[in-house]
Amino acid sequence: MSHSEFGDITPTQYDSAYEWLCTTGLLEQPADTDLSASRIFEAAVLTGEPAWFRDADELVLSPDDLPEDALRAAGALGLDLETAFACVSHIWGKVDTAAREQAGHAGELALLELLQKNTTAEVVHVAAFSDGYGYDISVRNGNFEHHLEVKSTTRRGRITVFFSRNEYSTMMRDPSWRLVLVRLNLNMEITGLDEISRFWLKKHSPSDSSLNGRWESTRFSVSSDALQPGMPFASEYLTAQANPRVIELLTAS
């Protein structure tokens, strides 16, 4: 492109574009044409925050599913559909992983604090010591003990949880194991609690087809019939001074 092609750009537009390039770190990238075009496309999707991106794993399953705004951006940058689709998959995976890790950690700590402050049970964050238990929090009260695997989400629509082989194996052999869904708002505060049925999990878990192959992790799209609102077992251990909001969350009343 010649400089004359940018003659109609105002100083304000130029400054805005330059500021955007600085903010995204694109000016620090190697001057490779293909890499730069891909990075610009990825940065445009991330900073533009299009409505479809949050659910790209469900909405954009192939290059043919790319939304119109993504197609226009890809065309402007000279990217073919396969490259644009690869870029979307790449950045969605990074963003989703980071968001899940943030929500997962926040949800565990929030539930831990809720149970420690409002129940008479001994509540221990075992995941802080090791990730090999197959659950995150132990709750013990007298002769009763519950092992809680915690999954957290900030989504209000569909519920997606990731399940490891170790968690599955623990569920199969440990009658005290429970899968708890912690619903969070954007401030990482608990807005709801559900138990996910272990029978539903067993029914929908994958199976190894031969001795030569073994699944290690899977993703569930949890249906509403698998959810039991609240955590009734924990409500039995509430202290006399329990927060009314906590009582509401545990009993789903």
Side-chain angles (χ1 to χ4, degrees):
M1 288 186 179
S2 64
H3 293 295
S4 61
E5 294 181 62
F6 300 99
D8 59 346
I9 295 179
T10 67
T12 299
Q13 290 174 323
Y14 178 88
D15 288 341
S16 297
Y18 183 78
E19 181 180 354
W20 181 80
L21 289 170
C22 291
T23 301
T24 58
L26 289 170
L27 291 181
E28 302 173 4
Q29 302 303 319
D32 179 280
T33 303
D34 294 332
L35 177 60
S36 295
S38 297
R39 289 295 183 95
I40 293 172
F41 178 77
E42 292 183 1
V45 173
L46 283 173
T47 58
E49 298 182 344
W52 54 266
F53 182 69
R54 184 179 179 89
D55 297 311
D57 60 324
E58 296 283 342
L59 300 176
V60 186
L61 301 178
S62 74
D64 293 334
D65 297 326
L66 286 167
E68 185 61 33
D69 54 352
L71 292 175
R72 289 197 301 270
L77 292 164
L79 297 177
D80 58 51
L81 293 186
E82 288 291 343
T83 302
F85 175 70
C87 288
V88 169
S89 299
H90 172 240
I91 56 176
W92 185 88
K94 290 177 63 177
V95 169
D96 182 64
T97 298
R100 283 192 291 110
E101 290 178 351
Q102 180 187 23
H105 184 64
E108 284 182 27
L109 295 183
L111 182 60
L112 181 74
E113 181 180 16
L114 181 151
L115 294 173
Q116 287 177 333
K117 288 186 174 181
N118 295 276
T119 70
T120 58
E122 178 188 356
V123 184
V124 180
H125 191 199
V126 298
F129 311 125
S130 171
D131 59 1
Y133 286 93
Y135 57 92
D136 301 305
I137 297 174
S138 69
V139 181
R140 181 181 296 131
N141 193 69
N143 295 325
F144 296 95
E145 185 167 354
H146 304 281
H147 300 149
L148 312 183
E149 173 59 30
V150 181
K151 303 296 183 184
S152 306
T153 184
T154 57
R155 288 186 171 182
R156 293 293 169 266
R158 62 188 179 88
I159 301 300
T160 301
V161 299
F162 290 78
F163 205 48
S164 72
R165 185 62 178 242
N166 184 42
E167 291 162 357
Y168 171 81
S169 299
T170 304
M171 175 186 72
M172 296 299 290
R173 68 174 184 269
D174 181 0
S176 299
W177 187 95
R178 296 171 181 269
L179 183 57
V180 177
L181 176 68
V182 177
R183 300 178 186 270
L184 302 168
N185 59 24
L186 295 181
N187 293 322
M188 298 299 159
E189 300 164 333
I190 298 180
T191 61
L193 295 169
D194 298 274
E195 285 190 57
I196 300 178
S197 166
R198 65 194 298 150
F199 302 105
W200 185 92
L201 289 168
K202 290 178 183 178
K203 178 180 178 181
H204 295 282
S205 292
S207 58
D208 301 328
S209 58
S210 75
L211 295 176
N212 296 324
R214 168 188 168 98
W215 69 268
E216 289 299 329
S217 65
T218 190
R219 185 181 72 174
F220 291 102
S221 294
V222 182
S223 57
S224 58
D225 63 309
L227 301 174
Q228 178 184 354
M231 285 173 49
F233 75 89
S235 65
E236 300 174 14
Y237 314 141
L238 286 168
T239 64
Q241 298 78 30
N243 187 300
R245 174 56 179 157
V246 171
I247 297 175
E248 181 182 343
L249 287 170
L250 294 179
T251 60
S253 59

